[in-house]
Amino acid sequence: MTGDFAGQCADHLYRVFGMLSCSELSVRADGSDFVILDHINAHFPNRSLNALVGPSGCGKTTLIKAFLGLVNSEGEIAHREQSSSESSSNQRLGFVPQFSVAHASLTVEESLAYAFDLTVSDLSAKADTLASVLKLIGLDEHGEKRVSSLSGGQMRRLGLGLELVSSPECLICDEVTSGLDPLSEDQIIALLRSLVLEHEKTFICTIHNLGKLPDFDHITVLYQGRLVFQGDFNGLQSWFGIEDPLRLYHALSGHELSHWLEKWENRGVSACGRPTEERSDRGDSIPVGSQEAQQVEVAEATRDEKLDPGNARLPSGTTVGSTATVRRAQIGAESCNPGLPSALSQLFTLLRRRYKLLMRDTGYLWLLLALTFGFPCIVVIFAIKGLPQIEGLALERSGSFIQQLQGDLRYRMEAAETATLVTGLVMFQVVLLTLMGANNGAREIAGERQIFEKERLKGLRSGMYTLSKLLFTGSIAALQGLWMALFVKVICQFPGAFLPQLGMMALCCVAMTFVCLGMSAVLSSAERASLLSIYLVGFQLPLSGVVLALPDAVVWLLRPFINAYWSWAGYFASMKDFQLYDAYRMGNVSWLPSEWGAATVLFLHIAAGAALVFYGCGKTRWDSAS
Ligand SMILES: Nc1ncnc2c1ncn2[C@@H]1O[C@H](COP(=O)(O)OP(=O)(O)OP(=O)(O)O)[C@@H](O)[C@H]1O
């Protein structure tokens, strides 16, 4: 079957049967020939509760991912576009994942409000929408509660609410009732049912509890990557010859896949999944002259015209909703939703939320304050003993000083000691700042990847997310660098101009923060990113070549990558007009960069870190989100 023909089939299935359909949909495992889903032809009727079931590993999650555009697939998918009167609301499919989808320290109301601000441009209806969604999901009395204190059932309700704020017509729910007690499970299904009946939503839910199948309108059974049944619960019972739905998988495993495929095909399903007998999607006969019969007539007409919807002979009075044939790359695309807020508005919302989260997370806030204000104090404590000597050498260079150095051995030794103390203190500041940088960046993205992926699916622009992270962590790092440099310089009376020294320390912390943020964006877990960041900091000092007597070739090979070296050297170069610098250079003649040279390398680190963050956030990492 050609791509166009498959597309027409999917489009056609939607026209006849409703919200979402796929035709000849196949998915292969990345980098191998293993076929996870094989030529799936399925449809999911409008305004109904759909169950997607099958034994573990049959491909349910993969089918959902294919619908959401999260895996590469062949074949076609069609889903309904909203009418123009609804153009302000989100056009996409909604997705309610199994995992936690909100920041734990926000309240329920705040979570819904931020979801609204990120996905809906028309703010005039915000208050009404939030109030009605809270009521709909039954959390109106828990609006002030922190997400962290919600029960499992309430979390699922919140997950639904986060989708409902942008009014998608169809919601895909991944194991939305898994892990809940029977009462909460019933309540969630009742909630979905009320949303179908009262708000005309369509739900496609993967479920594990087969005992709940009678509650669903339409059931899809996958088996070993193939579709083997679609219909209502009565149809399922007779199809598999079972009374008790819990026996479904026993019945399935009682025969080879080929048996079920043959049976399904012989039932009269054509290549594009349309039943050839006049049976509705609920498995009933279609009364002649009914609307459904008209739809089948549409199907016939479309088929007669070689599935060309433009030329099909439509029965008079039949209305067919507009459709969108959607290929993988287009689903979840950020630009196709006219109802989305502007990029700048998303950026401000993200920044507002991030600073609020910082204020709420008191543990992290105290750690940040302790590092920011405690580390400079530690540097000063280490400097106390040598402060008078530093003052002595903090004089501008003069001819007599050089002669004094050359002539007086004892003075030379004292001066060299003081210079070593100062360079050591500068290096100490630098290493502490790189440690702060690792703390700023390492967990920032990896720690909330699930939420980011979920929000991206709803239309959050990854560029704005990246920018918000760079601005947030960069602002903290710059403040840390500036404060460290200012505090230590004022107390220890280091010679040299303020501006280059403050700038160098700020660049040092921002550069390390961005590099660690980049690792946080490309790695799949916060733990890995943290570990790698700590290694990176740990190797700064020895690999800088300042401490270990590394062979020259190794020094030159590694040095460009070592933040601590350039920050230290840049800072020290700012003292070049002072005796201290000469005292150090008397005993050390190795190459030192100028302030501008060091700053340039640090800017390159910043640019490389930012590029890594853009790259990591640009790529979908659903593996770390499911
Ligand atoms: N990226 C991948 N690479 C290789 N195999 C994969 C990949 N993703 C899924 N699979 C395989 O595809 C099959 C279907 O996986 P999927 O997660 O869709 O099943 P499922 O029906 O959702 O299972 P469960 O009910 O246990 O969640 C499994 O055998 C799985 O190991």
Side-chain angles (χ1 to χ4, degrees):
M1 176 178 284
T2 65
D4 280 353
F5 185 67
Q8 286 169 350
C9 279
D11 191 58
H12 165 79
L13 273 173
Y14 158 70
R15 282 168 178 260
V16 177
F17 294 109
M19 177 53 67
L20 184 64
S21 68
C22 63
S23 175
E24 298 299 307
L25 185 78
S26 296
V27 178
R28 286 172 197 281
D30 289 338
S32 85
D33 285 340
F34 178 61
V35 179
I36 303 174
L37 290 176
D38 194 3
H39 294 89
I40 303 291
N41 297 297
H43 68 277
F44 298 90
N46 233 347
R47 296 185 289 277
S48 63
L49 210 46
N50 292 271
L52 177 59
V53 295
S56 185
C58 67
K60 300 182 292 293
T61 306
T62 307
L63 184 59
I64 284 182
K65 285 183 175 176
F67 281 142
L68 294 168
L70 302 175
V71 289
N72 292 322
S73 64
E74 296 153 25
E76 296 293 330
I77 293 169
H79 75 81
R80 178 187 157 101
E81 260 179 17
Q82 286 176 303
S83 63
S84 55
S85 62
E86 295 164 303
S87 60
S88 64
S89 54
N90 199 324
Q91 292 179 358
R92 291 190 188 85
L93 300 171
F95 175 50
V96 183
Q98 195 189 352
F99 51 75
S100 163
V101 281
H103 291 281
S105 56
L106 294 179
T107 66
V108 169
E109 269 173 8
E110 288 167 345
S111 303
L112 292 173
Y114 283 122
F116 187 95
D117 290 345
L118 286 176
T119 52
V120 182
S121 60
D122 179 11
L123 294 181
S124 61
K126 181 174 171 181
D128 289 346
T129 305
L130 295 184
S132 72
V133 167
L134 262 178
K135 206 163 160 29
L136 262 181
I137 58 175
L139 291 182
D140 38 349
E141 287 177 8
H142 303 278
E144 302 287 317
K145 258 192 187 172
R146 293 273 175 101
V147 171
S148 55
S149 62
L150 294 181
S151 68
Q154 288 169 336
M155 276 302 295
R156 308 297 162 91
R157 286 168 185 271
L158 176 61
L160 275 171
L162 293 173
E163 289 304 308
L164 291 173
V165 291
S166 54
S167 308
E169 287 189 345
C170 177
L171 288 102
I172 298 181
C173 305
D174 191 15
E175 299 181 21
V176 72
T177 58
S178 284
L180 297 181
D181 62 75
L183 180 63
S184 305
E185 194 175 11
D186 286 346
Q187 287 170 343
I188 292 287
I189 292 177
L191 171 61
L192 301 187
R193 171 61 66 199
S194 74
L195 287 166
V196 170
L197 293 177
E198 290 160 31
H199 298 270
E200 304 195 337
K201 302 291 178 196
T202 303
F203 286 95
I204 300 168
C205 308
T206 61
I207 59 163
H208 275 304
N209 184 357
L210 297 177
K212 291 292 163 203
L213 283 182
D215 294 339
F216 287 81
D217 302 318
H218 189 257
I219 299 161
T220 301
V221 182
L222 295 182
Y223 186 47
Q224 296 179 13
R226 302 296 299 267
L227 187 136
V228 293
F229 175 79
Q230 282 207 294
D232 69 1
F233 180 65
N234 292 336
L236 177 127
Q237 283 177 308
S238 59
W239 189 255
F240 292 99
I242 51 172
E243 275 300 310
D244 181 358
L246 298 179
R247 304 290 306 166
L248 173 62
Y249 296 164
H250 293 92
L252 267 175
S253 60
H255 296 278
E256 293 291 318
L257 173 66
S258 55
H259 165 83
W260 295 115
L261 286 177
E262 202 178 327
K263 186 169 175 181
W264 182 243
E265 273 160 22
N266 288 342
R267 175 181 178 266
V269 177
S270 69
C272 58
R274 183 181 63 84
T276 51
E277 290 165 15
E278 287 199 353
R279 291 176 67 82
S280 74
D281 43 54
R282 296 184 184 190
D284 316 320
S285 297
I286 300 172
V288 176
S290 68
Q291 195 182 349
E292 281 177 289
Q294 276 190 335
Q295 288 176 329
V296 170
E297 212 180 320
V298 175
E300 297 292 350
T302 312
R303 189 190 54 187
D304 290 348
E305 294 295 326
K306 296 194 171 58
L307 289 161
D308 179 352
N311 296 326
R313 292 173 283 106
L314 301 184
S316 59
T318 305
T319 54
V320 178
S322 61
T323 63
T325 299
V326 184
R327 289 168 197 275
R328 308 280 61 74
Q330 290 171 316
I331 304 180
E334 294 151 359
S335 56
C336 66
N337 190 342
L340 276 183
S342 68
L344 219 55
S345 159
Q346 286 190 334
L347 177 65
F348 286 131
T349 302
L350 289 170
L351 284 172
R352 264 194 301 125
R353 183 173 71 180
R354 188 60 192 91
Y355 284 108
K356 177 169 268 182
L357 286 170
L358 175 66
M359 293 302 151
R360 287 277 165 82
D361 188 349
T362 44
Y364 181 73
L365 191 59
W366 278 115
L367 175 70
L368 202 63
L369 292 174
L371 296 184
T372 307
F373 296 106
F375 277 0
C377 293
I378 296 175
V379 176
V380 169
I381 290 169
F382 274 80
I384 283 174
K385 213 176 143 203
L387 285 181
Q389 293 97 301
I390 295 172
E391 227 169 287
L393 280 187
L395 299 170
E396 286 203 49
R397 172 191 295 149
S398 69
S400 62
F401 170 69
I402 304 283
Q403 284 154 16
Q404 201 176 355
L405 275 181
Q406 287 166 346
D408 185 338
L409 184 61
R410 200 173 65 82
Y411 189 78
R412 271 176 69 178
M413 285 174 63
E414 275 177 14
E417 264 176 36
T418 308
T420 306
L421 172 70
V422 172
T423 56
L425 288 173
V426 173
M427 182 54 94
F428 193 25
Q429 289 182 74
V430 164
V431 170
L432 292 178
L433 284 172
T434 57
L435 203 57
M436 290 191 224
N439 182 61
N440 295 336
R443 302 186 72 85
E444 187 65 27
I445 294 172
E448 59 171 41
R449 191 76 195 206
Q450 295 180 341
I451 296 174
F452 167 46
E453 292 299 349
K454 176 70 189 46
E455 290 180 338
R456 189 210 313 252
L457 213 54
K458 289 294 294 170
L460 172 60
R461 295 166 177 87
S462 60
M464 291 305 107
Y465 178 81
T466 307
L467 214 52
S468 76
K469 289 298 173 193
L470 292 173
L471 288 173
F472 172 73
T473 57
S475 62
I476 289 178
L479 284 176
Q480 288 174 324
L482 291 174
W483 175 248
M484 169 74 90
L486 188 69
F487 184 82
V488 175
K489 184 175 169 65
V490 167
I491 304 254
C492 298
Q493 295 290 304
F494 283 166
F498 268 86
L499 203 61
Q501 294 182 356
L502 265 57
M504 207 58 68
M505 293 297 98
L507 284 179
C508 164
C509 197
V510 173
M512 183 54 90
T513 298
F514 280 13
V515 168
C516 293
L517 193 65
M519 293 194 295
S520 186
V522 294
L523 293 174
S524 59
S525 78
E527 286 66 36
R528 278 187 208 173
S530 296
L531 201 63
L532 205 63
S533 300
I534 293 299
Y535 283 142
L536 195 63
V537 172
F539 283 117
Q540 289 293 308
L541 195 53
L543 294 188
S544 67
V546 174
V547 175
L548 297 182
L550 293 171
D552 270 1
V554 179
V555 167
W556 281 107
L557 201 67
L558 291 176
R559 204 170 251 171
F561 304 101
I562 305 298
N563 173 320
Y565 173 77
W566 299 98
S567 310
W568 167 83
Y571 190 109
F572 195 58
S574 72
M575 299 178 184
K576 63 180 175 303
D577 294 330
F578 294 84
Q579 295 177 359
L580 197 76
Y581 186 85
D582 293 322
Y584 176 75
R585 296 299 273 165
M586 287 294 288
N588 190 320
V589 290
S590 59
W591 178 82
L592 279 181
S594 67
E595 292 143 273
W596 283 111
T600 304
V601 175
L602 289 175
F603 271 120
L604 287 175
H605 284 198
I606 289 175
L612 197 62
V613 182
F614 271 101
Y615 169 77
C617 290
K619 272 176 86 98
T620 304
R621 289 206 63 99
W622 206 253
D623 53 334
S624 54
S626 58

